[in-house]
Amino acid sequence: MGKKEDKIIQLPYGITVRELAGRLDTSAVQVIKILMSNGVMASINQTIDFDTAAVVATELGFEPQLEQEEVIEEELGEIPLWRRVIKEEEKESLTARPPVITILGHVDHGKTTLLDAIRNTNVAGGEVGGITQHIGAYQISYKGRPLTFLDTPGHAAFSSMRARGAQGADIVVLVVAADDGVQPQTREAANHAKAAQVPIVVALNKIDKAGANEDRVMRQLSDIGLQPEAWEGETFVMPVSAKNREGLEDLIETILLVADNMTIKANPKGDCIGTVVEARLEKGRGHLATLLVQNGTLKVGDVVVAGEATGKIKAMFDQRQKRVSKAGPSTPVLVMGMNALPEAGDLFQVVASDREGRAMVAQRKAEREAKRNIKRATLEELFNRYKSGEAKELRLILKADVQGSLEPITNELEKLSGQHKDISVKVLHAETGNVTESDIMLAAASNAVVMGFDVSIDQGARRLADTEGVSIRLYNIIYRMVEDVDKALSGLLEPEMVERVIGKAAVLATFKVSKGGTAAGCRVLSGEFRRNASVRITRAGEEVAVVEIAGIRREKDEVREVREGMECGITLKNFEDFEVGDLFECFVVEKFGG
Ligand code: GDP
């Protein structure tokens, strides 16, 4: 065997185990063995990302480098991406689809009330923490014609999501309160709509109020380039009272009129693509995503790629929780079966196979990672500036599950600065993903607190935080996070409950148990597994579900815990969709920080 020390090897973003073995001049079994010793369970045809492949290559004496592919930046132009996906030869097959409408406007001008009035139900009372955290969607039928509404969040903090809301819409309804007039977010929303070339219908709301001044608002609208139609302009301005449900029919008729003057078409038989409207993790049901189909027809059994998530659709539900087997253009559906949470605003597409889906995701992840590494260096510079500064500030490192949450949370937190004397809030670093060791090092170096929103803590990060004395706090309601920071500024903070990983195990087999259900036959790779704990299931590096442990068995006996090296049968509460090769991570929830 030749000397391998200085063998540089170029590897792509994603590569199958088989191909990697070929390139490294070794057997696939050897590669799988090395992966296993690093806690990664992979089959011969599975695609692994560059980082994982690099570990194998290094162990075999190679020096891995990321293959630099020529990335051709697509000229995006002003037209929403999905509209351009419709192919020239498809034009013949295009048929009319319902218009998609999004409601934008300044906070408190009545967006939620208007959406409710249109939907004729009331969700405003039941919002988590009083804030709509993600956009949903619903379809109504008016005089036999369907219209789809994107349910945009009704809080000031969500401007970035609203900006994305405009991307998937055909028409923007801009809500302006007649007593308050054009405000900063009215202007911002109008600009987003114009940039996306989406026509605007103005809903002049709250005309029932004593302070309503329609003329003044019409003037302000003209000033921002929305010349009312009544004043020889092109913008329909429809007076409504969302509260009293007045003027709604005229508003909807106007929306339909505008829609009739546009080409709102799609090919139900074409390539299936669309936009992620919202995504959330639900115990027992896994990753749920609301998808708005924009071309083609989405079916149960299709493999979908959305952002960095993929999966075969196990089940689909409409807005009334009814199971559906397919969804055509302009239809929003809730889908089950994704292996991770995509982000609101991500484009989704149907691909040919599970394998293709995984390869695409691996590539996207590697691309993002590559970009992130470039950003890090400049962040360090920023720190030095903060560290040398005189200002007294509470420094935060923010981690969130989706990009769309980062900006609103940062804004909300930094807004607190104005409300406290002598101390301000500074978000030093905001990024998506779990809390990692590098976040802890950053926090330790800059005396910062790590705040996580809908994320968990990597095991190494947790250990490092303990030794470095870094406080980590996890939340799943923005309002609570903001409230806690507010309390911290006043010196009133209580300890928070956090997750701590206590063990890892690999699923070697699955089998039926006597009392019904399926157990996972596991080997504990490290740490321990306890009853009364929970399990995070990952498959090929992707999170599948988070569920509570129902029971642990050794041979025939129910036991309280199992340790490293032991084999056992684990049953989970209301969950049996695990597979051979899955990785189980056992964690407990306990007090931390404060
Ligand atoms: P959003 O922040 O834009 O979603 O605004 P909301 O829908 O939450 O409404 C803000 C406040 O304005 C609430 O107290 C509503 O009850 C009130 N409101 C909304 N529409 C009307 C209306 O047509 N007339 C009056 N008088 N109040 C309204």
Side-chain angles (χ1 to χ4, degrees), residues 53-250:
V55 170
V56 178
T58 310
E59 284 204 15
L60 289 171
F62 288 86
E63 193 183 313
Q65 283 182 353
L66 187 61
E67 216 166 68
Q68 292 301 330
E69 284 172 40
E70 199 62 40
V71 182
I72 301 153
E73 277 291 331
E74 213 183 331
E75 193 52 64
L76 288 183
E78 300 281 80
I79 310 160
L81 192 59
W82 64 270
R83 286 192 192 155
R84 290 176 295 118
V85 176
I86 297 170
K87 298 180 190 118
E88 199 55 41
E89 64 269 22
E90 270 186 297
K91 293 266 156 73
E92 301 273 282
S93 333
L94 296 185
T95 53
R97 59 173 178 80
V100 177
I101 299 117
T102 188
I103 298 193
L104 305 179
H106 196 74
V107 65
D108 280 345
H109 279 199
K111 297 178 291 294
T112 315
T113 314
L114 183 62
L115 275 159
D116 276 355
I118 293 171
R119 175 171 29 195
N120 210 3
T121 57
N122 188 1
V123 293
E127 289 169 0
V128 184
I131 301 171
T132 310
Q133 302 209 7
H134 292 284
I135 53 173
Y138 65 84
Q139 204 172 60
I140 62 157
S141 173
Y142 180 80
K143 294 188 176 163
R145 289 187 62 180
L147 296 93
T148 301
F149 285 86
L150 294 178
D151 196 341
T152 59
H155 191 275
F158 291 85
S159 59
S160 67
M161 262 190 201
R162 281 207 307 268
R164 285 198 229 147
Q167 297 300 317
D170 301 303
I171 296 168
V172 164
V173 170
L174 184 61
V175 177
V176 187
D179 60 337
D180 198 29
V182 169
Q183 294 296 331
Q185 285 159 326
T186 320
R187 253 175 250 125
E188 191 187 306
N191 289 337
H192 282 308
K194 282 184 210 158
Q197 293 188 335
V198 178
I200 297 172
V201 172
V202 174
L204 186 55
N205 192 29
K206 307 198 187 184
I207 49 158
D208 58 288
K209 284 186 92 169
N213 184 340
E214 294 185 30
D215 266 5
R216 184 177 70 117
V217 183
M218 302 263 267
R219 253 194 324 276
Q220 290 172 336
L221 287 169
S222 310
D223 288 345
I224 62 167
L226 298 175
Q227 181 80 6
E229 184 249 5
W231 292 5
E232 261 96 59
E234 294 192 329
T235 307
F236 289 100
V237 179
M238 307 306 296
V240 296
S241 165
K243 197 172 136 197
N244 299 340
R245 297 171 185 259
E246 274 170 41
L248 297 185
E249 297 214 344
D250 286 343

Side-chain angles (χ1 to χ4, degrees), residues 9 12 27 49-50 73 91 144 153 155 161 169 184 210 261 279 301 484 489 498 510 541 559 570 572:
I9 181 143
S27 71
D49 59 19
F50 170 79
E73 277 291 331
K91 293 266 156 73
H155 191 275
M161 262 190 201
N261 280 310
D484 264 9
L489 295 177
V498 298
T510 64
V559 294
I570 298 178
L572 301 174

